[in-house]
Amino acid sequence: MTIALPTRWRSALPHLTTPMPPDVTPATAAAGTGVGVNLPMELVRQSVLEREYWDIPKEILAAYRQFRPTPLWRATGFERAIGSRVPVYMKYEGGNISGSHKLNTALAQAYYYQQAGVKELVTGTGAGQWGTAMAAACALFGLRCRVFMVDSSLRRKPYRGVLMRMLGAEIHSSPSGLTGVADRRGEGIGNSLALAIGEAVEYASTHDGVAFCIGSGETYSILHQSVIGIEAQDQLAALDATVDMVVGAVGAGSNFGGIALPFHAGARATGTQGPTLVAAESATAPKLTRGVYAYDKTDATGTGPLEAMYTIGSDYPIPDAHSAGLRFHGAAKIISAMRHTGDIAATAVTQQEALDAGRLLTRNECVLPAPESGHALAAAAKLATSGADGMRAQNGVLVCVSGHGYLDLAAYEQLLNDELGDEAPSEQALMSAVSGLTPVGQDASSPPRGSLLSAGGPLGGPR
C-alpha cells in the first residue's frame, strides 16, 4: 500500500462545537513577576487562527520523508489473541530516532524557533520520548538542546538519557537543584512532569538566546501531529476499511489528537457521522475520567497562563507507575474542550492492563509497544470485545501505537516477574488537589468560591 506524504497539517479549530475558553493571566504575571514564554509568531497563529489547512514548510517535509508515511496494518494476530469481534487496525509511530510520534512536532518547532533566531531550546520530558525527539530535531536544525527529565523515569530508563546525549543534548534529572521552582517543591516531586516542565520554563527565562518548548498539550503541537490521522484516513481508504472507534493514549493529548482530530474535522466538514474518538488515559492520572474542568497551571512555576483543562490538580503527587509519558495532571485545552462538549469519550487503564496488552501485541504482531501505547491497546481490546464504559465497536477499531518499548524493558520485566502494582488516586486526594481551582464558567480572575467539587465535579465526563 503506497500513499503520499501529507503536505498540509489539518486543524480542528474551525470544527469545535463551541470555542475554547480563553486563557487567564495569573495574578503573579499580571504584577510583573511572571515567567515569559516567547513563541515564534507562526506557532502563535497555528494556535489561534481558525484556518483548517496549514502548508508544511519544505524543510520540515524533507525531515518527515526520512520516516513518513508510517505503517498501518490490520492486526489479525492481536485480534485472535483478544477474541475480537471486529477488525483492529494499528497505526505505528515508533519507527524513528525518538521511537515515538513526538518527532512530528519536534521537527516543526525546531524549524520555527531556528527561523526566529533562537540558539538553544530547553524542555521537560516524562518518559523521555519528547526529550529524545527534541534533541534529534535540534541536531538537524543546528540548535543546542537542554532537557529536564522526570527523575523516576530517568532512573528507570537511563538509556534515554544516553540517546539524548548522543544527539548532543544536555540532560538534567528533575528535580535538578538548578532552579528555584525545584527547591520550593515538597515530597513526591520526582514523579512530576509539571515540575520538569517548570524547571525548563524557569531556566529558559533566565538565559539569553534560550527558549522553552513543549511537545504535547499545545494546540500547535497537536496540529503538527495531524499527519498521523491524515495518513491513517488515506490508508484505511486504500484498504477499503471503515472503523467506528479511534483510540489513542492521552498524557496531555498529542498522539491522541494526532490520530483522532482529523477524523473529527473530516466528519464536520462533510456533515457526516464520524467515528467515536476514545482517549485512553492512565488510572494513576485520570483527568478525563475523574478530573474537573477548571482553570489550572500547566507547569510547576504557576506563572504562565491558566488554561481551561480537565485536571486532577497540578499539585497532585502522581503515584510512581509505568504511566510514563501519561503522567501529567491535565489534558490539552483543545482535548478538554472537546471532552466537555461530548465530542471525545474517555476511559482509564491500569498499568497492569496496559503492559498485558503490550505483551499480547509483542507475542502476536512482533511489535513491542511503549507502555503509553499499551494503554491505548488495552482500551482498543475492550472496545473490540466486551466493551468499555458503555462503548463497543461495531465495525472496526483504529488504534495509535505511539511508540516502541525497547527502552521500556524494565517495565516489562516487572510484568514478567509479577512485580507490578497499581495505585489509583483516592477520591479524598483528588478532592483536596482540585479544591482551590476555579471552574470553567466562573470568573477566573476572582478567588474560587468554596469547593470546586460543590460546583459540579469531579465531572468524570462532559456536561
Side-chain angles (χ1 to χ4, degrees), residues 255-279:
N255 97 82
F256 170 74
I259 190 75
L261 297 198
F263 284 87
H264 174 80
R268 287 294 175 90
T270 57
T272 57
Q273 180 66 44
T276 301
L277 311 178
V278 184

Side-chain angles (χ1 to χ4, degrees), residues 104-122:
N104 296 321
T105 185
L107 289 166
Q109 291 187 46
Y111 167 77
Y112 289 124
Y113 277 105
Q114 189 263 352
Q115 292 291 298
V118 169
K119 303 302 181 184
E120 177 180 335
L121 288 177
V122 58

Side-chain angles (χ1 to χ4, degrees), residues 173-424:
S173 175
S174 177
S176 67
L178 297 177
T179 65
V181 66
D183 293 341
R184 293 190 295 270
R185 307 299 285 182
E187 190 175 349
I189 55 177
N191 299 323
S192 172
L193 179 54
L195 177 62
I197 293 171
E199 289 207 80
V201 169
E202 181 181 323
Y203 184 92
S205 72
T206 55
H207 292 78
D208 293 336
V210 179
F212 166 76
C213 64
I214 193 65
S216 187
E218 297 305 315
T219 304
Y220 55 80
S221 66
I222 293 174
L223 171 71
H224 303 152
Q225 298 295 352
S226 66
V227 292
I228 304 173
I230 293 168
E231 287 180 4
Q233 289 173 316
D234 291 342
Q235 289 165 319
L236 289 172
L239 294 172
D240 196 25
T242 59
V243 298
D244 59 328
M245 298 276 178
V246 176
V247 187
V250 170
S254 64
N255 97 82
F256 170 74
I259 190 75
L261 297 198
F263 284 87
H264 174 80
R268 287 294 175 90
T270 57
T272 57
Q273 180 66 44
T276 301
L277 311 178
V278 184
E281 64 181 2
S282 167
T284 62
K287 51 266 185 176
L288 292 173
T289 55
R290 298 178 62 195
V292 296
Y293 193 38
Y295 284 95
D296 200 0
K297 300 177 288 187
T298 58
D299 66 79
T301 67
T303 54
L306 300 177
E307 295 185 0
M309 66 176 75
Y310 274 91
T311 177
I312 55 174
S314 57
D315 294 325
Y316 177 74
I318 295 173
D320 188 10
H322 292 300
S323 52
L326 308 187
R327 193 186 292 116
F328 191 61
H329 65 278
K333 56 187 177 183
I334 188 170
I335 302 299
S336 295
M338 294 178 67
R339 172 67 168 157
H340 194 59
T341 55
D343 294 309
I344 283 173
T347 188
V349 175
T350 68
Q351 66 173 352
Q352 179 76 47
E353 292 172 324
L355 294 175
D356 278 336
R359 174 166 53 180
L360 278 180
L361 190 73
T362 303
R363 291 181 175 181
N364 293 281
E365 297 289 335
C366 290
V367 172
L368 177 67
E372 296 91 340
S373 304
H375 291 74
L377 290 165
K382 292 178 184 178
L383 294 169
T385 54
S386 59
D389 296 312
M391 302 175 288
R392 194 179 187 191
Q394 302 300 319
N395 298 322
V397 178
L398 169 65
V399 58
C400 184
V401 182
S402 58
H404 70 61
Y406 291 109
L407 296 176
D408 301 287
L409 288 172
Y412 285 109
E413 183 178 33
Q414 284 190 286
L415 173 72
L416 296 173
N417 293 341
D418 197 25
E419 297 171 350
L420 288 177
D422 280 296
E423 185 182 344

